[in-house]
Amino acid sequence: MTAARTANVRRPRRVLALLAAVTLAGAVAFCVVGLTGNIEYALGIRLRRIIAMAVVGVAIGYSSVLFQTVTNNRILTPQIMGFDSLFVLVQTLIVYFAGAIALSSADPKALFLLQAGVMVAFAFALHRWLFDRNSRDLYLLVLVGVIFGTLFASLSSLASRLINPNDFVALQDSLFASFNSVDESLLWFSAILLVLLCGLGTRLFRKLDVVALGRDTAMGLGVNHRSVVNRSLVIVAVLVSVSTALVGPVTFLGVLVANLARQLTRTFRHAVVVPAASLLAVATLTLGQLVLEQVLGTDTALSVVVNFGGGLYFIALLVRESTRR
């Protein structure tokens, strides 16, 4: 019995150490493999892309685990609830009203603040509506996210049909998550904001461990359930909005890394699961981009591959949940 408990304690540490080693190796390999020409210039660009992947990966992994805890299910992630479709809608409306030139020549900081602000406002409205009704039904939450996502996607499709073909081509290029053209000042701003939010979220980990047991149990154990949920949702909304506005949508990465982190660590402690999910996300982005560029020699957007694999995993989770009922 003692040996089994010791193994259960050591397993999360070993998993975190392994994930950290894989992530570091992937980052180093991405920086040095195929490095030619002006090495100092090329290395600087790759380091900037690595930092962008780290910021986005940590934001997605961190927010996905917290969101799954406060919604009390293991399938939903903030990205599934319509954030990506809203990002596409904002981009499409800018092109529709001002043209593709306005989108490409706009101040990156102003565009970033506009997109992040709209998504944060939507997140607060949606979360407040859901949690004021004390709804925890999985299918209702998925339905709400699908409805809003479909609404935003339909409006985007309508607007895109009314713009000229040249603007449409430029618009499509801006709708895939890309780490190639991240504004350096925005990157550092996002990184600082990420550190601050993660610091605030880390202070909630022990209370979130209790919240994961259910609302009634948490309140019975003396945890202010509503306060913890509201603070977590603020952190989730800002993290998702910032990561999406920075590089674009990566819809299914969150559900993939959050569930894999729990399966690998075999624990529900947020002090373990959140770092594991963040490391998995960063490793997926760096190694995936490395394989696409250096092994396959293609310039395909990594988000397309991640969304395909994550979408299949999401369907598998839905099927598994339906069979349990």
Side-chain angles (χ1 to χ4, degrees):
M1 187 68 177
T2 304
R5 288 182 178 178
T6 303
N8 290 334
V9 171
R10 291 179 178 177
R11 179 183 176 84
R13 298 176 182 174
R14 292 175 178 174
V15 171
L16 286 177
L18 178 61
L19 290 176
V22 171
T23 303
L24 180 60
V28 173
F30 181 82
C31 288
V32 301
V33 173
L35 194 63
T36 59
N38 189 332
I39 295 180
E40 183 177 357
Y41 175 76
L43 185 60
I45 293 178
R46 292 194 181 189
L47 286 174
R48 184 174 61 188
R49 295 174 65 189
I50 282 290
I51 295 173
M53 293 177 192
V55 169
V56 173
V58 172
I60 291 177
Y62 204 106
S63 61
S64 297
V65 175
L66 264 62
F67 190 77
Q68 289 183 352
T69 298
V70 299
T71 55
N72 198 26
N73 73 79
R74 299 294 177 260
I75 294 180
L76 287 182
T77 61
Q79 291 82 7
I80 297 173
M81 303 302 291
F83 282 94
D84 295 346
S85 297
L86 182 57
F87 173 84
V88 173
L89 177 61
V90 172
Q91 296 280 88
T92 305
L93 290 179
I94 292 175
V95 174
Y96 175 76
F97 286 108
I101 296 179
L103 180 64
S104 59
S105 61
D107 183 6
K109 298 182 181 61
L111 188 61
F112 175 85
L113 292 175
L114 171 64
Q115 293 168 340
V118 170
M119 286 184 283
V120 168
F122 167 71
F124 283 132
L126 178 60
H127 294 161
R128 183 176 181 81
W129 180 75
L130 287 175
F131 285 94
D132 278 353
R133 297 170 180 266
N134 293 321
S135 174
R136 293 296 186 274
D137 185 78
L138 170 63
Y139 297 105
L140 177 60
L141 290 172
V142 172
L143 180 61
V144 170
V146 169
I147 288 174
F148 276 106
T150 303
L151 173 64
F152 297 147
S154 299
L155 293 175
S156 301
S157 178
L158 175 62
S160 64
R161 292 176 183 274
L162 299 177
I163 63 179
N164 67 65
N166 293 330
D167 287 347
F168 179 79
V169 172
L171 172 65
Q172 292 302 303
D173 291 338
S174 68
L175 297 182
F176 293 101
S178 174
F179 299 93
N180 297 327
S181 56
V182 178
D183 185 86
E184 188 171 353
S185 60
L186 292 179
L187 178 58
W188 290 116
F189 170 77
S190 301
I192 294 173
L193 187 59
L194 174 70
V195 172
L196 294 176
L197 291 171
C198 289
L200 293 175
T202 301
R203 300 173 62 182
L204 299 175
F205 280 174
R206 292 187 177 180
K207 293 181 180 180
L208 286 169
D209 291 342
V210 181
V211 169
L213 300 174
R215 180 175 180 272
D216 295 336
T217 303
M219 294 179 66
L221 293 174
V223 173
N224 188 336
H225 183 271
R226 188 173 185 82
S227 174
V228 174
V229 167
N230 287 338
R231 282 186 285 174
S232 299
L233 289 178
V234 171
I235 295 172
V236 168
V238 178
L239 283 177
V240 175
S241 301
V242 167
S243 65
T244 305
L246 184 64
V247 300
V250 189
T251 306
F252 289 106
L253 181 60
V255 69
L256 180 65
V257 299
N259 285 279
L260 285 178
R262 288 190 174 90
Q263 292 177 9
L264 291 174
T265 59
R266 296 181 184 177
T267 180
F268 292 95
R269 292 178 54 227
H270 288 74
V272 176
V273 177
V274 171
S278 301
L279 289 171
L280 276 170
V282 177
T284 300
L285 294 174
T286 53
L287 293 175
Q289 197 69 45
L290 176 65
V291 171
L292 284 179
E293 294 182 2
Q294 303 299 332
V295 178
L296 300 180
T298 177
D299 58 354
T300 302
L302 177 62
S303 59
V304 176
V305 180
V306 172
N307 288 340
F308 177 76
L312 293 178
Y313 186 75
F314 176 71
I315 294 173
L317 288 176
L318 287 177
V319 172
R320 187 177 66 179
E321 289 294 325
S322 64
T323 56
R324 288 180 177 178
R325 292 173 180 264

